[in-house]
Amino acid sequence: MLRLTIVAMTTMLCVFTFADPVDVFIFSGQSNMVGAAQLDDLPETQRAPVPHARFWAGNGFEDYVPGTTPTGKRPERFGPELAFAATYTNAHPEASIYLIKYAVGGRPLHGGWDNQKWLGEAPGPGRETFYPGEKPGDPNAGTLHQNLLNVVRPALAHLKNAGIDYRVRGILWMQGEADAKHEIPARAYATSLKQWHLRLLEDIGADLCPLVYGQVLPHEPALERFTNRSDVRASQSNLDHGSGHSDSWEWATMVPTEGMGLADDTVHYNAAGQWALGKAFAEAMSTALESK
């Protein structure tokens, strides 16, 4: 009897010790990552809880129940994380995924911005931007990048403290409308986004992993405020691993957004559009991970 007990305990210990790590995905960007789409506009089947997916709620990870799990400030709205989680877990039923999201509407990436105000190409301290700085502790890192770290780091620490082995598998990014309002940040977008991705991974101590992002502003004609729409879209396209451009990077995958449903403002995605965006994100991430 004693021998059987020892064998059973050993077996349990081995299962615990060699369990596969959970997969962490980080979502960030501006308003289309925040999500303005209404859950009630989705079919009931797409509003169901997502098995094997958990979402960071600020003080712990919660089972992903749309409309209940706090994925944003307004529980009745959603971003691309919903269809991403549903699509990815359906394609990878063996995976346990943990989602972390920080997004702020109308905010830029390039360090020359301070919120909506362009201050010049050189970065400066205390600016409201996702600019990550040149190195850890850079005083010119934007306040939004620092806020992002203040969300991601505690989430990863929570997993570690709970004894849950994890790996950051990929980064999802939906942003660029703000940078489309000026020539310099629009044309430098590929460089800015690659720098952001690498610096984020360095700041959280994660290994290199795929970056999947959506191409912004698919509607033509663009609203007048997006003066450099074509520049930012071209730069986003150039970064994609298959573009053949000198800015192409093997870890970057762009998701085209033409045909995805838009709200009347022609900038934000409606429910069908957000679902299509999240689904495309999941499919692109799966392909990127399979190639690594």
Side-chain angles (χ1 to χ4, degrees):
M1 183 68 179
L2 178 60
R3 183 175 175 223
L4 288 175
T5 301
I6 293 173
V7 169
M9 291 178 65
T10 302
T11 302
M12 291 175 63
L13 179 61
C14 289
V15 170
F16 176 79
T17 303
F18 294 103
D20 291 335
V22 302
D23 294 337
V24 172
F25 293 98
I26 299 170
F27 295 72
S28 193
Q30 58 179 111
S31 57
N32 275 317
M33 182 59 83
V34 174
Q38 299 286 333
L39 277 169
D40 287 346
D41 291 336
L42 286 177
E44 186 175 352
T45 54
Q46 294 178 345
R47 289 182 270 126
V50 184
H52 309 298
R54 309 200 80 201
F55 196 95
W56 177 247
N59 54 9
F61 284 92
E62 297 184 5
D63 292 339
Y64 195 172
V65 181
T68 299
T69 305
T71 61
K73 292 182 178 181
R74 303 182 66 171
E76 74 276 12
R77 294 185 176 184
F78 71 99
E81 68 281 346
L82 176 54
F84 176 92
T87 303
Y88 192 89
T89 55
N90 185 61
H92 305 275
E94 76 289 350
S96 294
I97 66 172
Y98 284 64
L99 312 182
I100 306 168
K101 175 175 159 179
Y102 174 77
V104 184
R107 299 305 189 269
L109 172 60
H110 194 284
W113 291 105
D114 185 7
N115 195 342
Q116 301 292 316
K117 186 176 181 180
W118 178 251
L119 300 179
E121 194 164 2
R127 297 182 183 179
E128 194 172 351
T129 172
F130 280 101
Y131 174 68
E134 296 292 331
K135 58 184 178 180
D138 188 335
N140 290 329
T143 59
L144 300 180
H145 181 72
Q146 296 173 38
N147 292 344
L148 171 62
L149 296 179
N150 289 338
V151 171
V152 175
R153 284 170 170 165
L156 298 181
H158 178 87
L159 292 175
K160 182 177 180 180
N161 292 338
I164 300 174
D165 190 17
Y166 70 87
R167 55 187 174 181
V168 177
R169 291 285 273 164
I171 309 295
L172 292 306
W173 177 255
M174 192 65 204
Q175 191 276 344
E177 295 91 345
D179 290 78
K181 297 176 181 179
H182 194 284
E183 179 181 6
I184 292 174
R187 292 188 173 183
Y189 196 86
T191 300
S192 296
L193 184 54
K194 180 179 179 181
Q195 179 185 11
W196 174 82
H197 182 70
L198 292 172
R199 287 286 301 108
L200 173 61
L201 295 178
E202 182 181 17
D203 279 339
I204 63 174
D207 294 333
L208 192 56
C209 63
L211 167 67
V212 172
Y213 58 98
Q215 191 176 34
V216 298
L217 301 170
H219 185 267
E220 292 190 42
L223 299 179
E224 290 184 5
R225 65 180 180 270
F226 302 117
T227 55
N228 292 87
R229 167 188 179 262
S230 59
D231 290 326
V232 78
R233 284 172 56 84
S235 193
Q236 289 180 322
S237 181
N238 293 341
L239 183 62
D240 181 85
H241 68 279
S243 73
H245 191 272
S246 59
D247 285 339
S248 177
W249 187 41
E250 62 175 317
W251 292 92
T253 299
M254 187 192 76
V255 169
T257 53
E258 281 76 12
M260 295 181 181
L262 294 170
D264 291 341
D265 64 8
T266 72
V267 176
H268 298 98
Y269 297 96
N270 60 23
Q274 275 288 9
W275 187 268
L277 179 62
K279 181 175 183 290
F281 273 178
E283 292 170 346
M285 182 61 71
S286 293
T287 299
L289 288 170
E290 289 167 3
S291 70
K292 301 303 178 186

